[in-house]
Amino acid sequence: MKKKRILLIGTGGTIASEMGENGLEPELTSKQLLRYIPDIFDICEAECIQLFSLDSTNIQPGHWVRIASAIQERFYEYDGFVISHGTDTMAYTAAALSYLVQNSPKPIILTGAQKPIGFETTDSKQNLRDAFTVASSNLPGVMLVFNSKIIMGTRARKTRSKSFEAFSSINYPLLGLVRDGRIIRYIHWEVPSPVRFYDTVDPKVALLKLVPGIGCGVAEYLLSQNNALIIESFGVGGLPSYHAGDYYETVKRGLAAGKTVVMTTQVENEGSDLSVYHVGSSIKQNLPILEAYDMTTEAVVAKLMWILGQTADRTQVAELFYTPVARDILAV
Ligand code: ASP
């Protein structure tokens, strides 16, 4: 059988890092990464490009657009794509690419590592091998492959800061595992055609995590500086009302000024349901806010940036927000 052609896109991260005077810094190119895993050429024909060399802490929405356009420019030249990326913001990039490259029949795989590829003990080589294995398969769309797990791009979250088992799939099953170079597929999914690429995002999206006793000055400020505010509330969701009307009025003013407000939860699993308690239902019933339900916060951030890059119309924003993309929202 003819080998698949896979493009490795280097962006930096621990996987490509070397120890400098002040800690790890991304130094190695994708070409140098490939030299560590010559056996990859048994799986596929691999080629590479280097887009940038960043610790993913420094990745911004403009970098997501650059990755998406690099894929778009070469989409018909390759059968699959592997993006080597820092783990810290990889879940955001995975979500963002799921919106910027929709309905890809070809695999687009993000991977990285907790330990640099040049270290004696490292997860880099196995993660890259697994990523190339999935990129050479017929699985469609954006996925994150890490520590043998295959996770839907809109459902990934970094849940461990040090161990190899760094990522989890939130509110959605694992797509599968890679074991000894073979894919064990847990669920089947299909993507509609055709593939669609987008190249505009609006980075003016803010996230506010509530803490007990928080005043609404921060929300007020964030709304004044951004086009959308995501409020990570408690439990299934609600807004505090200890200073009569404060939060309600702040959100109401933001909405009247044309801003988008999304309520979500800081609880990792199972999502929001504003209808359950008075603190939630009173705002959901009376204000045109949106609710994240089972979406991850990473996906909500990326989806809003994508949507607001396409339209500012409130009805269209709501419609797009609740339209599932790459299994990002199921519980509407
Ligand atoms: N700080 C690194 C980064 O995100 C961490 C990693 O790659 O694991 O680029």
Side-chain angles (χ1 to χ4, degrees), residues 12-15 26 54-57 85-89 112-115 158:
T14 293
I15 192 167
L54 291 173
D55 188 297
S56 75
T57 301
H85 193 288
T87 60
D88 291 347
T89 64
Q114 294 281 55
K115 294 284 178 218
K158 187 170 181 181

Side-chain angles (χ1 to χ4, degrees), residues 280-295:
S281 68
S282 54
I283 48 159
K284 185 80 193 270
Q285 277 166 17
N286 298 312
L287 298 176
I289 55 157
L290 303 174
E291 178 171 358
Y293 295 104
D294 59 318
M295 290 179 80

